Amino acid sequence: MPYRSPLLEAPRVVAPPEGHPEAGVPWHWGDPFAEQRTATRGVVVIDRSHREIIAVRGEERLSWLHLLISQHVTELADNAGTEALVLDSQGHIDTHVVLAHTGAAVHLDSDPGPVATSALPRGGKQTLLEYLEAMKFWAKVDISDETGDLALLTVLGPDSGKVLDVELGTAPYAVAALPGGGFARRMPWPTRDAVDLAVPRDQFTQWWQRLTDAGARPAGTWAFDALRVESRHARLGVDTDERTIPHEVGWIGTAAHVAKGCYRGQETVAKVHNVGRPPRYLALLHIDGSPEITPETGDPVRLGERVVGRIGSVVQHHELGPIALALVKRSVPAAAELLAGAEDRVVQAVVDPDSVPGEHAAPGREAAQRLRG
């Protein structure tokens, strides 16, 4: 059965449309733009309980994970976290995870669904849990699916400290155990004051009530995605395709370590890092909203008649209007007038100049301003 959050039964909740990547949790609570504004000026709490959570325990948990993922974790301190990837042999991204090391366990949470694909022949798919189990061999680790035991809530906003009763360090990815089970983890995105709470699932509604009673406004994944897109943080499977490498979506450093070896796909990571020119980059597109249509995930981006990119996340932002993330070729000029979409949903778009690698072209800024206006 598909997951369905208990909060979807609450008054005023609007569920995502059918087939949406965030299916199973609230999309918004009646006013998505006000929810976004509160997330930037006050504090909101967002139900992300559809994310999958895996725990790795045992004396070799760090050394074993170090061999499988793209991040350097052999010396990951207790009460610390990071981001990491599972890559295929060509360096393409199979899985993105966020880690939290607390007590005797490393927790890995990821978007739901079978996303690790390259370990199987003929394009077969497997879950992250299945992949980890297949790579266990004789390692002294214990792997468990804790999705049924822990549920994720995310608190966003400059006033987040006012609703959180937990001692949590200020460094990105700082982790603290929660009383009664679970953990808190500070995140550097989609806003600089984001905190993830992995709470016991049987206490999920009580935690939600506690946070809203303390002043956090209920918000949906629409608000989370709008701020994520604004900050240019990719969502696996939406902003990536089967050819995406970490350099194209800004995951070098944050999720992929360029100096460590001994993990699948490391050769590509090192080679492209040394050359310094991945074939594509993740651009923030400003979309012309006057036609009241928007492109969809997977639609092409064209420069004239030539396809130069692929649309990923598309959102309505409370200040920027319709915006999208797109993987576009490095050759696309900052000031280029693009067409985004397919069939009857083709609209004008322009790359935000601040998202162009190494460029801040005035013509591009002027083009973006015209569409915003």
Side-chain angles (χ1 to χ4, degrees):
M1 289 287 293
Y3 174 73
R4 182 175 174 84
S5 168
L7 295 181
L8 286 175
E9 306 304 323
R12 299 186 298 111
V13 166
V14 176
E18 185 177 354
H20 195 278
E22 309 296 352
V25 293
W27 195 29
H28 63 83
W29 293 72
D31 193 341
F33 295 135
E35 293 167 23
Q36 292 177 44
R37 287 191 292 271
T38 304
T40 61
R41 303 169 189 173
V43 58
V44 302
V45 57
I46 300 171
D47 177 359
R48 300 175 69 215
S49 58
H50 58 330
R51 283 180 69 81
E52 297 177 353
I53 301 178
I54 295 171
V56 180
R57 297 178 173 86
E59 60 183 274
E60 295 180 350
R61 61 189 181 279
L62 292 178
S63 58
W64 176 74
L65 279 170
H66 186 79
L67 298 175
L68 300 182
I69 61 178
S70 61
Q71 190 58 277
H72 198 299
V73 295
T74 54
E75 299 176 1
L76 184 65
D78 193 17
N79 293 329
T82 187
E83 298 179 52
L85 308 170
V86 176
L87 306 177
D88 71 11
S89 59
Q90 303 301 312
H92 303 133
I93 302 167
D94 277 350
T95 307
H96 173 264
V97 295
V98 189
L99 280 64
H101 187 203
T102 179
V106 180
H107 287 89
L108 303 85
D109 61 277
S110 63
D111 290 318
V115 290
T117 62
S118 63
L120 297 180
R122 300 178 183 176
K125 292 189 176 183
Q126 63 181 169
T127 64
L128 176 60
L129 180 64
E130 290 169 340
Y131 172 71
L132 294 176
E133 288 285 1
M135 300 303 292
K136 182 177 178 179
F137 302 113
W138 297 279
K140 296 178 181 179
V141 295
D142 179 65
I143 308 164
S144 59
D145 183 355
E146 301 204 350
T147 308
D149 300 319
L150 295 173
L152 202 71
L153 295 169
T154 295
V155 177
L156 297 178
D159 293 338
S160 58
K162 297 180 180 180
V163 302
L164 295 173
D165 186 19
V166 58
E167 293 187 11
L168 186 63
T170 58
Y173 308 106
V175 175
L178 293 175
F183 60 87
R185 177 184 59 217
R186 192 171 298 281
M187 294 293 294
W189 60 273
T191 65
R192 289 181 293 179
D193 30 46
V195 176
D196 288 339
L197 301 173
V199 304
R201 194 169 285 274
D202 59 3
Q203 301 174 29
F204 176 71
T205 54
Q206 292 96 316
W207 270 96
W208 180 268
Q209 192 65 50
R210 183 187 309 176
L211 292 165
T212 54
D213 287 348
R217 176 176 185 156
T221 54
W222 182 333
F224 184 92
D225 274 344
L227 298 174
R228 176 183 63 80
V229 170
E230 180 188 15
S231 62
R232 286 201 306 135
H233 278 84
R235 189 189 195 280
L236 187 73
V238 178
D239 303 305
T240 65
D241 57 22
E242 69 281 356
R243 298 182 294 112
T244 306
I245 58 176
H247 317 68
E248 296 177 323
V249 290
W251 278 338
I252 293 297
T254 58
H257 197 282
V258 297
K260 66 163 279 195
C262 301
Y263 66 93
R264 194 174 62 191
Q266 180 268 338
E267 295 84 356
T268 298
V269 170
K271 180 179 179 180
V272 178
H273 176 72
N274 292 331
V275 172
R277 294 187 64 84
R280 301 177 295 179
Y281 69 93
L282 190 67
L284 175 64
L285 296 187
H286 296 276
I287 297 171
D288 182 5
S290 58
E292 297 186 355
I293 56 174
T294 55
E296 297 179 357
T297 300
D299 280 353
V301 178
R302 288 186 169 86
L303 177 58
E305 296 298 319
R306 184 166 62 100
V307 174
V308 294
R310 172 197 178 275
I311 292 289
S313 301
V314 183
V315 295
Q316 293 282 346
H317 190 277
H318 71 108
E319 289 182 338
L320 301 178
I323 56 176
L325 292 178
L327 277 173
V328 299
K329 294 182 178 180
R330 289 185 63 92
S331 59
V332 174
E337 295 186 2
L338 306 172
L339 293 176
E343 300 174 349
D344 58 351
R345 52 181 183 273
V346 178
V347 293
Q348 288 184 312
V350 64
V351 175
D352 188 300
D354 290 334
S355 68
V356 180
E359 298 182 38
H360 299 279
R365 195 174 304 281
E366 294 168 2
Q369 191 61 46
R370 286 200 300 272
L371 280 185
R372 288 173 185 168

